[in-house]
Amino acid sequence: MQVNGNLANIKAGVISQLESLYDIEAPSGQIITREAAEKMLELTDVLGREVAVYINRKGNVIKVSVGDDATVELPEVKQRSNIRLSGVRCIHTHPSSDTRLSGPDISSLKSLRFDCMVAIGRKNGKIYGSMGFLTGEQTEDGEYIVRGTKEIPLKELNAIDLVQLVVMVNNELGKNQLKDTQERPEKAILAGVAFSSTKDGWQAEDSLAELKGLAETAGAQVVAQVIQNKDKPDNAYFLGKGKVEEIAMLAQNVEADLLIVDDEISPSQQRNLELNTGLRVVDRTALILDIFAQRARSSAGKLQVELAQLKYNLPRLGGQGLVLSRLGGGIGTRGPGETKLEMDRRRIHGRIHELEEKIRKLKEQRSLHRKQRKHSALASAALVGYTNAGKSTILNALSDAEVLAEDKLFATLDPTTRLVNLDDKQQILLTDTVGFIQKLPHTLVSAFQATLEETTEADLLVHVVDASNPNYELQIKAVMQVLEEIGAKEKPAIFVFNKADRLMEDGGSDFDAMRMLQDRDGVVISAQSQTGLGELREKLASFFNRGKVVLKLCIPYTEGSLVTRLHNEAHILNTDYGENGTLVEAELPVTEAEPYLPYEIKE
């Protein structure tokens, strides 16, 4: 444990005391303990020189240095990232009562990108200090901008939430880097946990492979993946502490910008991971929300995405107020930060209420449109299924629509309804809906209730399954869980096992394809190669023909209200006008036929 700097004429006993500074342990998020500050100032009184300690984010002292009253020896600190803070804070004493940061202090803060630079000293028997930190912003000349506090008591200095401050600055530094390298995608490390008591059946490797697809859909470049076996999530980090340290080292080797966790994590876990890895951290929920934000095209879709994002981000505002309230120091600077936080919260709550009101009106409009469609007596079906199962491709194939169909997760976000001809006489309305996924965020499900009502109101669910995916059974289970959550699990459904061509390419057989149906009512097709679409049309026609009857009627002109009612309840095939009344050929459910039987034309 070497003491650095100018050690000339310092007695061995004092050197020993300086070496004992390596025993300092600072709590996470606190700049330095009062006992450690007292010890450093006592040594400064003895030496008449500045004493500095360099503390890492674990709270351990990694270097001790001694300088004169004009400067302090600043040993090189190994950078954890080319664009993040170093992960080390410098706390040093000023022999005089003036604890304002000097020019060399500011210069060192910028060049070594310390988490913060702190100077402490005594005034009237009390310990005071000032702190400087990078804002994450830069001038036009590329110079880092520095902010800081005035001289304030050590107690107030320690009240600053250092964890949140570091996270905020690192995020800002990351944003600036992305602005400078817009052509370069963010480099991401994926992290998943294989829990010993997993209940959903998904293997961690499969879930992480799916997360990789999500990350690439969002525009990230996956440069590394890690999986940890644990009994339960760690309260502080979600991952184990050793795994977090491993990720921090890995991030340096692969020059990563981002850590994506394959589960939803708490705000405190996110902050702790960011602090200890030096990376920006997002969880599975935030990643899916980001994809939805990119994919939303309609005003309705954008409203629902914004609502989901606000509900997700609201609890993650906590802690920033304390940081903002303490910066600047002095009278009039302690309250505004908290006030700003409360204003932000009120503003977000207000915006959430506003969005919910707009979405409520949107639901009313959709309900009106559905009623109008029902008045046309056309049956309706909704395509549901796991994301990227091929729902949009099926809609395009059946209706000659031009809905965007990509081999990407969540290619479709906004529902699309098209008219589909099943045979010469029968038409239905078929709606393409947003795909489901395992661990689908509840905030997303609740926000997209207006869109998902297209599913709950359909006469039939067409459950599309990717036959080429080895986890198709788990995907079916995940879809059924979401359908249960929105109240559509018990609706009539047929299964469509799509991508049979890929199944064959991967060594599958017709037997494998048919085995997938098991006791399920459905068909096996390939929408891409148009194979099996005729069978699908027949299956749909068969369902909608069940329990229906075609009647030829002559309704007297005096019964005009009955004709109106018939138009609301039946599919009108033909209308004409005779001497004795309106001649109508209509298809309608058997259960609705009785009022019209007296007017049936017997052939």
Side-chain angles (χ1 to χ4, degrees):
M1 294 185 294
Q2 180 182 352
V3 178
N4 300 274
N6 182 7
L7 306 182
N9 302 320
I10 298 180
K11 295 180 180 180
V14 178
I15 294 288
S16 178
Q17 292 183 56
L18 287 167
E19 290 174 345
S20 71
L21 293 177
Y22 280 101
D23 298 329
I24 290 174
E25 290 186 4
S28 176
Q30 183 177 320
I31 290 173
I32 194 169
T33 63
R34 176 169 291 278
E35 292 74 18
E38 290 280 6
K39 192 172 184 179
M40 291 175 64
L41 288 170
E42 287 172 5
L43 287 167
T44 293
D45 291 340
V46 171
L47 296 169
R49 305 177 191 177
E50 294 188 2
V51 175
V53 294
Y54 303 88
I55 303 177
N56 64 19
R57 290 178 187 165
K58 295 179 182 178
N60 301 323
V61 175
I62 59 172
K63 288 187 184 294
V64 176
S65 182
V66 176
D68 55 31
D69 59 358
T71 185
V72 65
E73 181 73 16
L74 296 170
E76 287 294 324
V77 177
K78 184 178 178 181
Q79 298 291 330
R80 308 174 82 180
S81 165
N82 292 328
I83 61 169
R84 307 285 178 178
L85 296 176
S86 65
V88 175
R89 58 188 180 273
C90 174
I91 297 94
H92 65 285
T93 61
H94 278 187
S96 67
S97 59
D98 185 356
T99 63
R100 291 176 297 179
L101 296 179
S102 65
D105 292 337
I106 300 298
S107 177
S108 300
L109 171 64
K110 292 179 180 179
S111 62
L112 295 178
R113 291 202 304 281
F114 286 122
D115 286 358
C116 64
M117 172 68 76
V118 178
I120 58 174
R122 281 199 182 91
K123 276 190 174 184
N124 301 321
K126 295 183 178 180
I127 300 178
Y128 278 74
S130 60
M131 180 183 77
F133 62 94
L134 305 180
T135 65
E137 301 172 323
Q138 293 176 281
T139 65
E140 293 182 358
D141 299 331
E143 187 82 7
Y144 285 119
I145 297 175
V146 174
R147 282 186 65 190
T149 69
K150 296 180 181 179
E151 293 179 298
I152 55 178
L154 181 64
K155 182 178 180 180
E156 293 189 18
L157 204 59
N158 273 332
I160 294 173
D161 190 337
L162 187 59
V163 174
Q164 185 66 26
L165 176 63
V166 168
V167 169
M168 291 168 62
V169 175
N170 268 337
N171 284 344
E172 194 63 36
L173 287 169
K175 289 178 186 176
N176 290 335
Q177 178 72 7
L178 286 176
K179 290 176 185 175
D180 296 336
T181 59
Q182 291 181 356
E183 299 301 319
R184 180 180 72 80
E186 289 184 274
K187 293 182 178 180
I189 296 175
L190 309 184
V193 177
F195 295 113
S196 55
S197 59
T198 182
K199 297 178 181 179
D200 58 12
W202 285 87
Q203 296 296 314
E205 293 79 6
D206 293 329
S207 187
L208 211 62
E210 184 175 87
L211 186 70
K212 182 175 185 288
L214 288 169
E216 290 172 346
T217 298
Q221 176 188 352
V222 177
V223 293
Q225 303 180 40
V226 295
I227 294 178
Q228 182 176 28
N229 296 311
K230 282 183 70 68
D231 293 331
K232 61 180 182 179
D234 183 87
N235 290 333
Y237 301 99
F238 186 80
L239 304 164
K241 195 170 183 179
K243 185 62 68 174
V244 173
E245 293 176 357
E246 178 187 325
I247 291 172
M249 294 299 297
L250 179 61
Q252 296 181 50
N253 296 333
V254 298
E255 298 183 343
D257 311 300
L258 181 67
L259 173 64
I260 305 176
V261 181
D262 190 28
D263 281 277
E264 184 166 335
I265 59 177
S266 69
S268 62
Q269 289 169 335
Q270 180 180 350
R271 290 194 333 165
N272 291 338
L273 285 172
E274 288 183 323
L275 181 69
N276 285 274
T277 63
L279 300 172
R280 191 163 63 85
V281 176
V282 299
D283 60 15
R284 187 183 182 94
T285 298
L287 181 62
I288 292 174
L289 288 172
D290 181 82
I291 294 171
F292 271 55
Q294 293 182 44
R295 295 281 175 168
R297 293 291 180 267
S298 70
S299 58
K302 292 176 181 177
L303 284 176
Q304 291 171 115
V305 169
E306 184 182 355
L307 177 60
Q309 286 181 322
L310 288 177
K311 286 184 174 181
Y312 172 80
N313 287 321
L314 184 60
R316 286 162 172 76
L317 282 178
Q320 295 184 21
L322 184 58
V323 174
L324 297 172
S325 68
R326 301 296 178 184
L327 301 182
I331 296 173
T333 63
R334 301 172 193 177
E338 292 296 334
T339 303
K340 182 181 184 300
L341 178 61
E342 292 306 317
M343 286 175 62
D344 286 344
R345 281 179 173 155
R346 283 198 299 271
R347 196 173 292 119
I348 290 176
H349 278 298
R351 180 59 177 164
I352 287 175
H353 177 74
E354 180 184 344
L355 289 171
E356 287 177 336
E357 183 63 22
K358 288 182 178 181
I359 290 174
R360 184 187 64 78
K361 293 180 179 178
L362 175 69
K363 290 171 70 174
E364 291 177 355
Q365 292 175 1
R366 289 188 183 277
S367 177
L368 181 61
H369 292 160
R370 281 194 295 271
K371 286 180 181 178
Q372 291 173 345
R373 291 202 294 265
K374 284 185 177 180
H375 287 166
S376 70
L378 286 176
S380 63
L383 292 161
V384 300
Y386 211 77
T387 181
N388 203 31
K391 297 181 294 298
S392 298
T393 306
I394 290 175
L395 180 66
N396 289 340
L398 291 176
S399 66
D400 296 325
E402 295 182 356
V403 177
L404 174 67
E406 293 183 282
D407 188 16
K408 286 185 177 181
L409 300 176
F410 297 117
T412 299
L413 183 57
D414 299 306
T416 304
T417 301
R418 292 291 184 269
L419 190 66
V420 173
N421 295 310
L422 299 182
D423 52 38
D424 293 339
K425 293 185 177 181
Q426 191 170 24
Q427 295 178 318
I428 65 167
L429 293 171
L430 186 60
T431 300
D432 185 17
T433 63
V434 61
F436 301 150
I437 197 169
Q438 60 140 343
K439 305 176 187 176
L440 188 67
H442 290 289
T443 51
L444 208 56
V445 175
S446 61
F448 271 73
Q449 283 292 345
T451 295
L452 295 174
E453 280 185 354
E454 297 290 343
T455 301
T456 61
E457 295 293 331
D459 299 314
L460 172 70
L461 301 184
V462 181
H463 189 156
V464 182
V465 183
D466 180 356
S468 67
N469 193 304
N471 290 315
Y472 72 88
E473 287 287 0
L474 292 175
Q475 292 185 348
I476 290 174
K477 184 179 177 181
V479 171
M480 297 305 292
Q481 287 174 345
V482 179
L483 290 176
E484 183 175 16
E485 188 172 346
I486 64 175
K489 186 178 180 180
E490 302 303 323
K491 293 194 75 67
I494 63 170
F495 285 83
V496 177
F497 285 84
N498 189 30
K499 303 188 182 181
D501 53 334
R502 290 192 185 182
L503 177 65
M504 302 305 175
E505 289 172 5
D506 294 338
S509 64
D510 291 333
F511 172 77
D512 293 324
M514 298 311 298
R515 180 174 52 83
M516 291 178 177
L517 291 174
Q518 297 179 358
D519 295 326
R520 300 177 177 123
D521 182 20
V523 295
V524 178
I525 71 165
S526 169
Q528 190 70 43
S529 64
Q530 306 276 305
T531 305
L533 290 181
E535 187 179 353
L536 175 57
R537 290 182 192 273
E538 290 175 5
K539 180 69 70 172
L540 292 170
S542 174
F543 173 83
F544 287 110
N545 283 331
R546 292 175 195 167
K548 288 192 175 182
V549 63
V550 175
L551 297 179
K552 292 183 179 181
L553 307 171
C554 179
I555 301 175
Y557 290 120
T558 55
E559 300 289 343
S561 60
L562 197 63
V563 176
T564 302
R565 178 179 167 184
L566 183 64
H567 276 78
N568 290 335
E569 295 178 346
H571 180 203
I572 306 301
L573 302 176
N574 191 27
T575 301
D576 203 353
Y577 301 96
E579 293 182 5
N580 300 320
T582 305
L583 303 175
V584 183
E585 183 179 4
E587 180 186 57
L588 70 165
V590 172
T591 55
E592 306 291 338
E594 187 176 352
Y596 308 103
L597 293 179
Y599 308 103
E600 186 177 8
I601 300 173
K602 304 296 183 181
E603 295 182 353

